[in-house]
């Protein structure tokens, strides 16, 4: 074969590769569907929460790959319409962690969520280190399995994400605080939803203006006194 033909073949191959769409980093190891922003293999309320936190709180929250996954309508922009679609198509709601028979859709942020957030943080602060497992075969974890001695340090990424109700990437005291506030306000009848602002799916503590949230007959709760 002549040298010129070899160069032509190599050049043609390089041009063909350059014409292919760019693949997200890590695509060779795992493939994620659009909407799975937190990359735990399931579209959940946490994905929607991450998008609204990105839009309203932290413009640096999402990586380049996560931005591609968040752009569900593929219009080149991550905006509220993407967050709304993810929320409407979620498989599990924010807070639906370690539940027996996880429920499709519906608000699952309740005292059970608060219990496991407290359990996780108490163990972390006591010096135990949890291993967050991210694999398609480990996305469903029951609370019995997690609390067994031999499995107490293993948490599926799905369950971890569903406890991360402020969507900042960490399960900590802030998540406990806003979960407790949400449960208390809804339990008292002051909130119909677990979220503190229209169009928001993350529970940002900055939104906790109780005097505005709690109303009786159209008046602020603290305007009654």
């Amino acid at each position: 074969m002549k040298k010129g033909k070899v160069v032509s073949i190599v050049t043609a191959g390089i041009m063909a590769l350059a014409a292919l769409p760019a693949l997200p980093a890590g695509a060779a190891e795992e493939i994620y569907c659009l909407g799975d922003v937190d990359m735990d293999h399931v579209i959940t309320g946490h994905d929607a929460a991450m998008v609204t936190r990105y839009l309203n709180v932290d413009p640096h929250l999402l990586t380049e790959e996560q931005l591609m996954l968040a752009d569900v309508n593929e219009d080149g922009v991550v905006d509220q319409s993407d967050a709304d679609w993810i929320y409407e198509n979620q498989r599990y709601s924010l807070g639906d962690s370690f539940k027996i028979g996880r429920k499709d859709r519906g608000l699952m942020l309740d005292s059970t969520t608060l219990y496991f957030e407290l359990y996780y943080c108490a163990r972390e602060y006591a010096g135990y280190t949890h291993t967050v497992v991210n694999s398609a075969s480990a996305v469903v974890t029951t609370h019995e399995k997690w609390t067994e001695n031999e499995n107490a340090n293993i948490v599926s990424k799905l369950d971890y994400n569903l406890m991360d109700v402020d969507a900042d990437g960490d399960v900590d005291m802030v998540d406990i605080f806003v979960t407790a506030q949400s449960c208390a306000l809804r339990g008292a009848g002051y909130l119909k939803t677990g979220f503190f602002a229209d169009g928001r799916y993350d529970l940002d503590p900055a939104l906790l203006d109780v005097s505005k949230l709690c109303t009786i007959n159209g008046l602020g709760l603290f305007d009654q006194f």
Side-chain angles (χ1 to χ4, degrees):
M1 183 181 291
K2 294 182 180 180
K3 182 178 180 181
K5 191 172 182 180
V6 173
V7 172
S8 297
I9 292 173
V10 172
T11 302
I14 293 172
M15 292 177 67
L17 289 173
L20 293 174
L23 295 175
E29 292 78 24
E30 299 194 72
I31 298 175
Y32 304 97
C33 65
L34 287 175
D36 183 16
V37 183
D38 57 20
M39 303 163 72
D40 61 9
H41 300 286
V42 187
I43 296 177
T44 69
H46 185 254
D47 297 303
M50 288 187 70
V51 175
T52 53
R53 184 177 179 88
Y54 162 77
L55 294 174
N56 296 280
V57 181
D58 183 2
H60 305 293
L61 178 66
L62 304 182
T63 65
E64 182 178 349
E65 185 175 4
Q66 288 175 323
L67 286 170
M68 294 175 65
L69 294 170
D71 182 18
V72 292
N73 58 14
E74 299 184 277
D75 64 356
V77 179
V78 175
D79 55 22
Q80 187 64 39
S81 64
D82 296 304
D84 292 340
W85 186 94
I86 293 171
Y87 181 73
E88 289 299 319
N89 290 275
Q90 64 185 344
R91 182 175 176 188
Y92 303 124
S93 298
L94 194 67
D96 190 12
S97 50
F98 299 101
K99 306 294 177 68
I100 299 175
R102 298 180 197 270
K103 295 183 179 180
D104 295 342
R105 307 294 308 266
L107 182 65
M108 292 300 296
L109 189 73
D110 56 21
S111 58
T112 305
T113 306
L114 180 61
Y115 168 82
F116 282 108
E117 289 171 344
L118 286 163
Y119 181 80
Y120 174 85
C121 289
R123 286 179 55 83
E124 283 283 309
Y125 300 152
Y128 294 96
T129 301
H130 295 86
T131 300
V132 179
V133 179
N134 181 23
S135 69
S137 61
V139 295
V140 177
T141 304
T142 64
H143 68 284
E144 292 98 336
K145 181 177 180 181
W146 189 39
T147 53
E148 290 173 0
N149 289 335
E150 64 269 27
N151 294 302
N153 295 334
I154 300 174
V155 182
S156 75
K157 190 172 183 180
L158 172 64
D159 285 299
Y160 184 87
N161 289 337
L162 292 174
M163 290 191 292
D164 176 30
V165 295
D166 68 346
D168 69 345
D170 295 311
V171 176
D172 53 25
M173 291 300 295
V174 176
D175 298 297
I176 292 172
F177 173 69
V178 291
T179 299
Q181 282 278 27
S182 178
C183 291
L185 292 171
R186 285 189 296 111
Y190 295 127
L191 282 179
K192 298 298 182 184
T193 175
F195 307 106
F196 303 126
D198 290 339
R200 292 288 292 271
Y201 304 117
D202 58 302
L203 276 72
D204 183 357
L207 299 173
L208 282 172
D209 186 344
V210 180
S211 64
K212 292 181 179 178
L213 286 171
C214 303
T215 61
I216 301 176
N217 298 325
L219 297 175
L221 177 63
F222 297 102
D223 295 334
Q224 310 298 316
F225 307 100

